[in-house]
Amino acid sequence: MKKIAIIAGARPNFMKIAPIIRAIEKDKDKFFEYKLIHTGQHYDKNMSDIFFEELNIPKPDINLGVGSGSQSKQVAEIMIKLEEYLLDYKLDYVLVVGDVNSTMAASIVASKLGIKLIHVEAGLRSYDRAMPEEINRIITDHLSDYLFVTDKVGMAILKKEGIDKSKCFFVGNVMIDSLVSILPKLKKDNTNIKSAIVTIHRPSNVDNKEDLIKILDILKEVSKDYKIIWPIHPRTKKNIENFGLLDEIKNYDLKEPMGYIEFMNLVYNSSLIVTDSGGIQEETSYLKIPCITLRYNTERPETVTEGTNFLTGPVKEEVITALNKVKSGNYNKNPKIKFWDGKSAKRIIKILKNIN
Ligand code: UD1
């Protein structure tokens, strides 16, 4: 039996570890014995616990409780606490997912301790180093011993960066595994309201007053044709309050951050998504719902070329053009992206077993 530590810390990590844990538990050879470590980067019930309940993720063996702080403080605290914990175990592997600060911090610790590092969701690049996640992705991929890649573009990127191809495996998207697993729980509502679900939380869109005003102006445009439903991220909410912009959002249906099933149900019943999130670009392509992404770049280009995603930047004119295309039905109604099929975690476990 091989010993593996699985690391998760922030909201988008939880949907990615759930199918991997399920695949490990279902493996009839019981190849892996695992420890689950929560860094504590996200700590509110609706940013963390609720995902464990809904996705049947076991309680973590430990929560490092690092909480919020500047990026360096957060990363440093995770590193110190995680090293202490990992030193007590003789591990064969550390597995990290995604691109949050917890991902990179754990990757550095595992590599320095000489433990083999597995990265699930490798090969994503936005080529925008102002994005904290881009730095996390580059460091994690270059330290990893096994890189599990979401799409074909990612394989080409890793090759171009000189990462040995024997370490890279195209397995598809574990985020879609989770979505497939909850599909039976989603219910079509029969209202005829055209809704747009909004999620905005990137520092580049919300940490500066002028940028945030641009976003709110875009939402005003969207609200001419859609009912805006907006589960607000704590970072965004705090900034709207601090910048005195509460009046600009008073007509929208504002919600607290919500659990995975409730949120996916909203998306499933909506006509449009307006977002700057990464994962939602993938989920909407899978669900065939048009998505307007208020960023200049995406690390998930296949959602644009083969999915339902419009990359408009936070630029009102571009958003209006995309809105017109959506309204006239001029978008890809039948996206299909290879290996986004609910079986990615199984592929990962099979490959890891065969390597040994
Ligand atoms: C992090 C990830 C981002 C991911 C996002 C999803 C990094 C660099 N960024 O961004 O990739 O898309 O999570 O949510 O890792 N806060 C709370 N409660 C919580 C957690 C955070 O109120 O449970 C507030 C705190 O004020 C905190 C702020 O949100 O300072 C930002 O949290 P942080 O984890 O630093 O980054 P996110 O913006 O959530």
Side-chain angles (χ1 to χ4, degrees), residues 201-268:
H201 73 283
R202 295 237 161 257
S204 60
N205 280 333
V206 306
D207 279 3
N208 165 300
K209 188 171 179 182
E210 277 69 48
D211 295 327
L212 194 45
I213 287 173
K214 263 196 229 162
I215 299 290
L216 296 175
D217 192 36
I218 286 171
L219 294 184
K220 205 179 275 173
E221 194 62 42
V222 176
S223 73
K224 289 179 184 165
D225 287 297
Y226 299 88
K227 177 189 175 196
I228 303 261
I229 305 178
W230 189 357
I232 295 202
H233 187 284
R235 175 192 284 276
T236 311
K237 191 172 178 200
K238 238 182 245 175
N239 290 342
I240 287 180
E241 282 164 7
N242 291 344
F243 297 147
L245 295 169
L246 275 173
D247 240 25
E248 302 296 316
I249 60 171
K250 66 175 188 294
N251 293 327
Y252 303 150
D253 185 358
L254 302 176
K255 312 253 185 217
E256 289 296 311
M258 54 179 71
Y260 184 52
I261 294 173
E262 191 184 357
F263 179 69
M264 289 320 305
N265 212 51
L266 261 188
V267 172
Y268 188 59

Side-chain angles (χ1 to χ4, degrees), residues 7-13 39-42 64 66-79 82 96-109 119 130-137 139-140 202-203 235:
I7 315 290
R11 185 167 63 176
N13 285 167
T39 66
Q41 177 176 343
H42 284 175
L64 303 175
V66 300
S68 303
S70 73
Q71 290 198 62
S72 297
K73 183 170 176 288
Q74 206 170 46
V75 168
E77 275 186 28
I78 295 170
M79 287 180 66
L82 184 63
V96 296
V97 294
D99 54 15
V100 301
N101 286 340
S102 300
T103 310
M104 181 189 72
S107 300
I108 299 173
V109 174
H119 184 206
M131 239 183 129
E133 295 83 354
E134 182 72 354
I135 295 164
N136 298 343
R137 292 176 194 127
I139 293 176
T140 303
R202 295 237 161 257
R235 175 192 284 276

Side-chain angles (χ1 to χ4, degrees), residues 267-303:
V267 172
Y268 188 59
N269 283 293
S270 68
S271 305
L272 174 72
I273 309 296
V274 180
T275 191
D276 61 7
S277 146
I280 293 171
Q281 299 169 51
E282 302 178 332
E283 290 158 339
T284 45
S285 279
Y286 186 84
L287 292 173
K288 306 182 175 156
I289 293 169
C291 176
I292 292 181
T293 299
L294 304 183
R295 289 172 47 190
Y296 292 109
N297 49 57
T298 177
E299 58 290 329
R300 290 155 163 103
E302 293 197 5
T303 60

